[in-house]
Amino acid sequence: MSRRKMSISAFAHRSLLSPKALRRYGESGLLRPREVDPVSGYRYYAESQLQDARTISLLRRLDVPLATIANI
């Protein structure tokens, strides 16, 4: 498992989620960034989070509500 961190834009591209969606999922506790820069607030994600992000993306495309996804 790689510990390489990715910027929010790189992670969004690889996970098929928009940065806006990633921020929303982070705020809801569904997919929190691995690290947040304390000065800039810039978010970083780990490669190990990609599968969860892709699963969330698929479930959202199927119109599964966020509250339901959080309980899965």
Side-chain angles (χ1 to χ4, degrees):
M1 175 168 53
S2 174
R3 294 189 178 264
R4 190 182 108 193
K5 65 181 179 181
M6 288 182 272
S7 67
I8 190 171
S9 59
F11 190 80
H13 177 74
R14 291 192 56 196
S15 67
L16 307 177
L17 292 167
S18 70
K20 182 178 179 178
L22 288 169
R23 285 190 292 277
R24 184 176 60 224
Y25 300 155
E27 290 165 1
S28 71
L30 196 57
L31 185 64
R32 290 196 170 108
R34 186 58 45 106
E35 183 181 322
V36 177
D37 183 284
V39 175
S40 68
Y42 203 75
R43 297 161 186 253
Y44 296 94
Y45 294 82
E47 283 189 61
S48 61
Q49 293 177 284
L50 281 171
Q51 187 59 47
D52 288 342
R54 290 175 181 147
T55 300
I56 292 167
S57 177
L58 173 65
L59 292 171
R60 291 300 292 149
R61 284 194 305 263
L62 295 171
D63 292 324
V64 177
L66 290 178
T68 301
I69 295 171
N71 290 322
I72 295 177

